[in-house]
Amino acid sequence: MPIPTEVVGSLPRPQYLQKAYADYDADTIKEDELIAAQDKAAEDSVHKMAQTGETLLTDGEQRASSFATYPVTDTLGGTGLASNLAPDGQYFAIFDDGHHRQLPRLTSGPLKYKTYAYENFKKSVPYAKGTGHAMKSAVIAPSMLYLLYPLNGTVEGYSKEQFVADLVDECEKDIRGCFEAGAKRVSIDFTEGRLASKNDPRNPWTGKELLKTFVDLNNKVLERFSAKERENIGIHTCPGGDCDSVHSGEVPYSSLLPSLFAMNAGYFLIQLASEKDKSTVYKQIGESIRRDANGVKQVAFIGVINPLDPKVETAGEVADALIEASKYIAKDQLGATDDCGFSPFSIDVKPKHGNPDFAREVAMKKIKARIDGARIASEKLDI
């Protein structure tokens, strides 16, 4: 079987869609006008991704406020925020360029998703008809939404234990809904993995040693699925990717591995193209990945494309990275992916690219390079 490849999920929102989000926040357009812009961008994303040869298509998450906040708010500006949330929650991350992203704060229970990933997925399924390609979906990890609950306080009448129970239920519902809607694979976004070891004094939760809590919480969701189902449930990890900047690139992978593979998922989408010492991390992955994770063989899809850099990788560069990785990772446990979604947040001007429209064009070229490179590597490795 050739080396498998898979996209993470998101694409830059075109400028007209980002303007529609801003206009909707400013109350100068109605919801149906925003939806029309989202639909147009989602359809374009599916069709253009199909032209690259991508195995499993996504709609680029064009309808999501962000990879992390789609369950609780319609826009990053806070329009449509769930009624039991306040906008003054914890920072999710402070990025290297100085900007930050903030989560809402839970003010009362119970936790219920306002929007599920499968609801957006269903709207885009018709766009893939006639392309000859199936689709996948990404969902947010419960470990990220764990940060909605006050770090050191409580929510009156709603214990953290009950919150966690509700959170696990909601995440399971989100994943099952995607499969029921026709998704062939579902990946869980876990970008908070490396960030949990950063210990940034500006962002208190990163110093609370939450990695084990996160892993255990995510496993509570995964244990609700059979081994056969978990073959198609993945975990994505990266040091962030927003406005062409990262939030935890300096945190060594040794802080995350082997905890990452303690999660009983079937596959992992792992940032590596932008990593400085790739071979060391390949070796760590090879030593940590499991052939039997509670009944499922794990596969490591290594990042061979850097979405933050407008330079398009060549297929030869992609192939070389995969061939090098195969020295450390068993060939039947090796795949290829992108370091991150190409634009996890709906408002992202992609400064290194000049504008998001150009960044969308670059993203498609990069996806094609990944696919072509994986094919070349498969042929050279006789896989």
Side-chain angles (χ1 to χ4, degrees):
M1 176 183 170
I3 295 171
T5 72
E6 183 168 326
V7 70
V8 174
S10 68
L11 291 170
R13 281 65 164 179
Q15 292 184 84
Y16 68 79
L17 178 54
Q18 295 199 35
K19 182 178 185 301
Y21 274 114
D23 290 345
Y24 186 60
D25 278 331
D27 200 25
T28 58
I29 66 170
K30 301 300 183 184
E31 184 179 23
D32 59 348
E33 294 175 90
L34 173 62
I35 291 172
Q38 291 172 325
D39 289 346
K40 179 182 176 181
E43 183 173 15
D44 181 70
S45 299
V46 171
H47 289 165
K48 286 183 176 174
M49 196 178 291
Q51 292 170 11
T52 69
E54 181 64 78
T55 307
L56 297 174
L57 310 179
T58 77
D59 64 3
E61 302 175 12
Q62 304 295 287
R63 298 184 180 89
S65 55
S66 79
F67 78 104
T69 57
Y70 71 84
V72 296
T73 187
D74 296 339
T75 75
L76 285 175
T79 303
L81 183 66
S83 60
N84 61 340
L85 292 168
D88 59 347
Q90 303 179 73
Y91 289 147
F92 152 56
I94 300 172
F95 288 79
D96 289 356
D97 66 357
H99 86 278
H100 65 266
R101 295 293 189 178
Q102 189 172 15
L103 290 168
R105 173 177 56 87
L106 191 70
T107 59
S108 64
L111 175 76
K112 293 292 180 184
Y113 285 12
K114 184 174 183 285
T115 303
Y116 295 88
Y118 65 77
E119 293 176 305
N120 290 332
F121 179 85
K122 285 178 179 178
K123 295 175 183 177
S124 293
V125 167
Y127 304 149
K129 291 182 179 178
T131 67
H133 297 261
M135 296 186 70
K136 67 160 285 189
S137 183
V139 302
I140 188 56
S143 49
M144 172 67 79
L145 297 183
Y146 180 85
L147 299 173
L148 296 176
Y149 201 94
L151 184 63
N152 298 313
T154 60
V155 175
E156 185 177 356
Y158 192 50
S159 68
K160 181 168 282 190
E161 291 74 18
Q162 185 57 56
F163 164 73
V164 167
D166 291 341
L167 178 54
V168 171
D169 286 344
E170 290 295 275
C171 187
E172 179 193 7
K173 181 178 178 180
D174 208 14
I175 295 171
R176 290 199 183 280
C178 289
F179 283 130
E180 290 167 3
K184 298 301 180 184
R185 307 262 271 190
V186 177
S187 55
I188 300 171
D189 285 324
F190 181 57
T191 184
E192 62 275 19
R194 278 169 87 172
L195 193 53
S197 297
K198 184 169 182 175
N199 196 15
D200 184 346
R202 300 169 301 169
N203 199 11
W205 78 261
T206 66
K208 294 296 185 179
E209 299 183 348
L210 288 174
L211 181 57
K212 185 178 185 304
T213 297
F214 287 170
V215 168
D216 291 346
L217 176 57
N218 293 340
N219 266 336
K220 286 180 183 292
V221 173
L222 291 168
E223 71 186 12
R224 297 190 175 187
F225 294 86
S226 69
K228 187 66 176 175
E229 290 171 322
R230 284 184 287 110
E231 288 179 5
N232 292 310
I233 300 176
I235 301 286
H236 165 59
T237 185
C238 73
D242 181 36
C243 297
D244 293 333
S245 186
V246 299
H247 54 55
S248 54
E250 74 275 29
V251 178
Y253 259 112
S254 56
S255 297
L256 179 60
L257 303 171
S259 295
L260 180 68
F261 296 109
M263 288 184 281
N264 295 315
Y267 69 99
F268 296 79
L269 306 171
I270 306 171
Q271 169 268 343
L272 267 166
S274 55
E275 199 69 17
K276 293 179 180 178
D277 186 1
K278 298 179 182 62
S279 294
T280 294
V281 183
Y282 296 155
K283 185 173 185 290
Q284 292 171 351
I285 291 171
E287 293 171 346
S288 303
I289 197 168
R290 293 186 287 163
R291 298 196 73 85
D292 184 0
N294 197 16
V296 63
K297 179 177 70 175
Q298 296 178 330
V299 178
F301 286 67
I302 65 164
V304 293
I305 296 294
N306 181 2
L308 308 184
D309 187 346
K311 177 184 177 294
V312 179
E313 295 82 354
T314 67
E317 289 170 336
V318 169
D320 288 346
L322 290 166
I323 291 168
E324 176 68 15
S326 73
K327 298 175 183 178
Y328 306 95
I329 304 169
K331 295 181 182 67
D332 65 336
Q333 291 181 282
L334 178 64
T337 189
D338 314 312
D339 274 7
C340 185
F342 284 90
S343 218
F345 293 86
S346 57
I347 304 301
D348 182 351
V349 298
K350 300 295 290 184
K352 291 181 182 178
H353 292 72
N355 65 71
D357 292 345
F358 177 65
R360 282 173 69 83
E361 296 176 15
V362 169
M364 298 306 170
K365 293 176 182 178
K366 284 174 172 274
I367 290 171
K368 188 176 188 305
R370 166 169 47 79
I371 294 163
D372 291 345
R375 175 181 49 77
I376 294 169
S378 298
E379 291 170 355
K380 289 185 175 182
L381 294 169
D382 195 26
I383 298 177

